[in-house]
Amino acid sequence: MVVCVSWASCLCIHVSIFAWYVFTQYHYHNISYLRTTSYGGKWKYLTFLNLVLQTVFFGLCVLTDVVHLTSPARSLRGGVQSLLVKLRDDIFTIFAFPYASFVFSSFWPIYAIDRELVYPKVLDSIIPPWLNHALHTAIVPLVLVQMYIQNHAYSSRLKCVSVMGCAAVLYMSGVVWVHHASGIWAYPILAKLSPLGLFGFFGACAGLQFLLYLLGEKLSGRIWGNPGPLGRAEAINSCSSSVLAELGSLPQEFIYPMGHRVMLE
């Protein structure tokens, strides 16, 4: 039996995840405490930036699926369709997976040691527990689902790490500027550190993010059986009967065009 995650199935999954993030955004924005007028507002928090990033990414996934489902098969080998897939892959590999993993893996260990450093207890009466987990926990399972249902082309490691490094420097500079301009640190833990401690903390965060990028690359390779960066062949289509008819001589698992999984059982 052939089991395929088709474009239509991906669309259903992506619409569900996108709706979840829109729902989360709505409730996050409706918390009066978070509609702060302090310098930088919500934009100084990496958790909020990641929420916006994931919403935009899965919105792009929905758009990509719709374009491929509504475009003639002969027109899918270039143009807007290929551009959307390239953009989807770059955002996922450079930002969506590493940032979701970083928010999860940096928040919960510090929370377990001393929650007052990242998420003071007073927030429990302001932010519902489900929203806290939506912001800091559910983000990882959702990007893992995305990694499993669609293959993503990794650009060269140098390019990816360079873009990630620039983004990290930009965010850290923004955090320091907010403190310089208003005396407010985005996270209480930063107020506990000396200048040298801040430098070391930011360096450790950048290092962790790089390791999480490598983890994503490794997991993708294990799932899809492709070698590292530039190991993805770009092809397009979903499980059409004309292609499925030719699968009899293929190995047990065939990595379908554009990253869709086809299993022969």
Side-chain angles (χ1 to χ4, degrees), residues 184-206:
I184 299 172
W185 283 114
Y187 298 98
I189 189 174
L190 301 178
K192 306 286 186 181
L193 301 175
S194 66
L196 183 60
L198 282 172
F199 182 81
F201 180 78
F202 287 151
C205 289

Side-chain angles (χ1 to χ4, degrees), residues 77-99:
R77 293 193 173 276
V80 175
Q81 296 85 356
S82 294
L83 178 62
L84 287 174
V85 171
K86 172 64 174 171
L87 183 61
R88 180 201 69 189
D89 290 353
D90 283 345
I91 293 178
F92 181 82
T93 57
I94 300 174
F95 295 111
F97 180 85
Y99 274 76

Side-chain angles (χ1 to χ4, degrees), residues 64-247:
T64 303
D65 296 340
V66 169
V67 168
H68 279 80
L69 283 169
T70 57
S71 299
R74 63 178 177 276
S75 69
L76 292 177
R77 293 193 173 276
V80 175
Q81 296 85 356
S82 294
L83 178 62
L84 287 174
V85 171
K86 172 64 174 171
L87 183 61
R88 180 201 69 189
D89 290 353
D90 283 345
I91 293 178
F92 181 82
T93 57
I94 300 174
F95 295 111
F97 180 85
Y99 274 76
S101 303
F102 178 81
V103 169
F104 175 87
S105 59
S106 60
F107 176 83
W108 288 113
I110 298 175
Y111 182 97
I113 296 170
D114 185 356
R115 64 170 298 174
E116 297 298 319
L117 295 176
V118 290
Y119 195 83
K121 191 171 180 60
V122 66
L123 292 179
D124 287 346
S125 60
I126 300 170
I127 301 177
W130 74 264
L131 184 54
N132 180 25
H133 284 289
L135 296 170
H136 299 110
T137 307
I139 51 178
V140 168
L142 293 179
V143 292
L144 289 176
V145 167
Q146 172 61 18
M147 179 178 285
Y148 183 80
I149 66 173
Q150 289 184 320
N151 195 359
H152 299 87
Y154 275 73
S155 299
S156 70
R157 189 173 294 171
L158 177 61
K159 171 189 171 182
C160 293
V161 172
S162 297
V163 174
M164 288 174 60
C166 291
V169 169
L170 183 63
Y171 175 72
M172 294 173 188
S173 299
V175 168
V176 173
W177 173 256
V178 167
H179 177 261
H180 170 75
S182 65
I184 299 172
W185 283 114
Y187 298 98
I189 189 174
L190 301 178
K192 306 286 186 181
L193 301 175
S194 66
L196 183 60
L198 282 172
F199 182 81
F201 180 78
F202 287 151
C205 289
L208 175 60
Q209 194 171 23
F210 172 67
L211 291 177
L212 292 171
Y213 165 81
L214 294 180
L215 174 64
E217 183 183 291
K218 183 71 173 178
L219 286 175
S220 182
R222 290 292 296 272
I223 293 170
W224 292 97
N226 291 328
L230 299 178
R232 317 299 198 252
E234 181 175 331
I236 308 173
N237 215 331
S238 60
C239 295
S240 62
S241 57
S242 60
V243 174
L244 295 177
E246 302 175 5
L247 294 179

